[in-house]
Amino acid sequence: MKVMKFGGTSVGSPERMKGVASLVTESGEPTFVVLSAMSGTTNSLVEISDYLYKKNPEGANEVINKLEAKYMQHVEELYSKEETKKATREFLAGEFDYLRSFTKDLFTSFEEKSIVAQGEIMSTNMVVNYLNEIGVKAVLLNALDFMRTDKNAEPDTQYIKEKLHDVMEANTGYQIYITQGFICRNAYGEVDNLQRGGSDYTASLIGAALPAEEIQIWTDIDGMHNNDPRIVEKTEAVRQLNFEEAAELAYFGAKILHPTCVQPAKYAGIPVRLKYTMDPKADGTIIDNVIVRGKIKAVAAKDNITAIKIKSSRMLLATGFLRKVFEIFESYQTPIDMITTSEVGVSMSIDNDSHLNEIVDELKKYGTVTVDSNMCIVCVVGDLDWSNLGFETIATDAMKNIPVRMISYGGSNYNISFLIREADKKQALQNLSKVLFNK
């Protein structure tokens, strides 16, 4: 069985929903489908929550009414049988009445998560109703029955596997199994969400739990490209990536995938394929555990980086110095992207400067601190094992005319990263493409 995940754009209109129905039924084989909320819906639900936080029920009701009118119009365009229209209208009316019920009571983050979850619940019901109308044997499985996080807000994989097995046992014989992405329950049984990776994470967790033969992530981009197509001309989709390479690219700027969402698939050894909804026949990008030796695959860039350097003559041979520095970042829950060290100093980069002033104040206890803002990390990804003679030289040669603040190499076998000014990003990406891919 394959798992197919479709994002909000893919189910963003009646026409797109029909397209998804065609894609998931094409093979005629049993398929597990994960759907996001219709595009724009989650933003509207967050806006409703914002009004309720501000104790403005009139504003919330106005957004609810506008969203309801949009959905009711979709019903007219999506279905042809009056009985399906009637059933879907009644379901949606109940959903919007449920949203209105929050305008009368105390509103907290728990209620907000319940509100935001309704987007996926509505989209999955609508698609299942359409599939049944056209004669496809489809069933809706409620993600809240088997998706759960533990007390650390991490997916409870054993629970998911056991509960999903029970749900599938109780629903045998269907061609299409549909569930909601993103939403789950937490360890206390409350409605919650997976946060990082959203629906992609759901698909990966389900694929690992089934287990599936392949997990397909359908997007409006034809795979993961070897550079940023908004900046560099004639980029190409990368046809194969190792899980580690994909994670590096996702972390350092490739928006198509969240860096953590494919981890369940990686550990289960299940390939993840990125597919293009506008051209279903295109190969897309396959992500698996295969390592292609001697090849540089892609380049990505991450903006809004701040570099911090602390210099101290007391650091020389001083045990515990780095621990003290890292503890400062940890106390403000600020992850470090890159790090380089010398005998008398250490430089680090961060992508979250919300506690920058406090961090700098504390670092000044241990040395002289300098800060560089408006920086960018450019990451070159591929087989960059240190035993590959000359690979790092190729990347650095492409950067010879770009001022480089930091270089990180050797922390991973799959990347070499350069910290540069954001103003130099365009030139750096173009130089790297010319040297690495346009030979």
Side-chain angles (χ1 to χ4, degrees), residues 228-365:
D228 190 337
R230 297 167 299 180
I231 296 175
V232 179
E233 294 181 357
K234 298 179 181 177
T235 64
E236 296 179 351
V238 182
R239 294 306 172 203
Q240 187 274 341
L241 288 167
N242 177 269
F243 278 114
E244 299 287 351
E245 294 169 337
E248 297 277 10
L249 286 171
Y251 184 77
F252 286 105
K255 306 295 185 188
I256 192 172
L257 205 62
H258 192 280
T260 61
C261 75
V262 294
Q263 284 182 353
K266 171 190 170 184
Y267 297 140
I270 298 168
V272 175
R273 191 180 296 273
L274 307 180
K275 295 285 285 180
Y276 186 32
T277 49
M278 305 304 156
D279 184 9
K281 300 297 182 186
D283 292 333
T285 300
I286 187 80
I287 303 170
D288 53 28
N289 281 317
V290 175
I291 298 174
V292 177
R293 295 295 181 190
K295 187 173 173 120
I296 293 177
K297 301 285 187 66
V299 177
K302 187 177 184 180
D303 294 328
N304 302 314
I305 301 297
T306 300
I308 303 169
K309 178 168 71 175
I310 174 170
K311 188 171 68 171
S312 171
S313 57
R314 292 176 296 158
M315 178 183 171
L316 184 63
L317 302 179
T319 59
F321 178 84
L322 285 178
R323 175 181 57 79
K324 292 172 185 174
V325 169
F326 292 150
E327 282 177 348
I328 292 171
F329 288 88
E330 182 183 3
S331 67
Y332 290 103
Q333 296 185 318
T334 301
I336 296 170
D337 289 312
M338 292 173 63
I339 180 168
T340 59
T341 64
S342 73
E343 288 93 341
V344 294
V346 55
S347 287
M348 295 148 292
S349 71
I350 58 174
D351 63 2
N352 179 358
D353 62 2
S354 57
H355 296 289
L356 178 61
N357 291 335
E358 298 97 312
I359 289 170
V360 169
D361 281 344
E362 294 210 32
L363 288 174
K364 284 179 177 178
K365 298 174 185 175

Side-chain angles (χ1 to χ4, degrees), residues 171-202:
N171 292 276
T172 57
Y174 288 92
Q175 181 186 344
I176 304 296
Y177 298 83
I178 290 186
T179 197
Q180 301 88 12
F182 180 60
I183 67 175
C184 65
R185 292 193 186 276
N186 61 26
Y188 309 100
E190 300 155 339
V191 175
D192 211 325
N193 57 66
L194 293 172
Q195 298 176 10
R196 300 164 303 178
S199 297
D200 292 351
Y201 209 176
T202 301

